[in-house]
């Protein structure tokens, strides 16, 4: 679906998947996990105007969509989101990781 849409509209779509992981395999409570996810969502919403859409993908994953963006720009935004998240909120036994995908039309 995504590739077909990219081809039809001749645009670039990018996706960043953020994942919250507990450090050292120490379990975190559901309340803590939900709190970290809400904090991540707040950072994403305030960080970039280039973000087209953002949604919670699972209980520990947040998917962010970009339109007409280059991979290096996405990488920069993802690193800024990580930095801001750790600066503001990450106090505890969690890590935040991300993966990027770009589809060009």
């Amino acid at each position: 679906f995504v590739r077909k849409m990219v081809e039809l509209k001749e645009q670039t779509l990018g996706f960043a998947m953020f994942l919250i992981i507990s450090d050292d395999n120490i379990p975190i409570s559901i309340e803590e996990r939900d709190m970290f996810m809400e904090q991540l969502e707040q950072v994403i919403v305030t960080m970039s105007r280039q973000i087209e859409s953002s949604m919670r993908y699972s209980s520990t994953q947040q998917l962010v969509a970009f339109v007409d963006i280059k991979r290096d720009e996405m990488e920069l935004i993802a690193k800024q989101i990580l930095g801001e998240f750790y600066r503001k909120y990450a106090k505890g036994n969690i890590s935040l990781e991300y993966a990027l995908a770009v589809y060009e039309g």
Side-chain angles (χ1 to χ4, degrees):
F1 171 77
V2 171
R3 286 192 177 146
K4 191 60 122 178
M5 190 171 94
V6 167
E7 289 171 6
L8 289 172
K9 298 207 177 231
E10 296 181 2
Q11 291 182 321
T12 302
L13 286 180
F15 296 95
M17 177 70 77
F18 290 90
L19 173 64
I20 290 180
I21 301 171
S22 63
D23 290 339
D24 300 322
N25 293 325
I26 299 169
I28 58 174
S29 70
I30 292 171
E31 293 80 16
E32 282 180 302
R33 182 197 64 211
D34 288 346
M35 178 190 68
F36 288 130
M37 287 299 293
E38 287 174 17
Q39 292 168 346
L40 174 58
E41 289 169 7
Q42 290 173 6
V43 168
I44 289 169
V45 166
T46 60
M47 281 303 293
S48 176
R49 295 174 192 217
Q50 288 183 294
I51 293 174
E52 183 71 23
S53 179
S54 176
M55 68 183 128
R56 196 177 288 199
Y57 190 76
S58 75
S59 63
T60 60
Q61 295 174 311
Q62 185 78 16
L63 180 66
V64 179
F66 302 87
V67 175
D68 286 334
I69 192 167
K70 295 178 182 167
R71 185 177 187 85
D72 58 339
E73 294 170 332
M74 276 182 33
E75 184 80 39
L76 179 63
I77 293 168
K79 287 180 180 180
Q80 289 172 343
I81 289 170
L82 256 66
E84 189 68 8
F85 177 77
Y86 284 127
R87 188 183 74 75
K88 282 187 170 184
Y89 301 115
K91 295 170 179 68
N93 58 334
I94 63 112
S95 294
L96 183 62
E97 296 181 0
Y98 67 89
L100 304 176
V102 177
Y103 298 92
E104 296 179 351

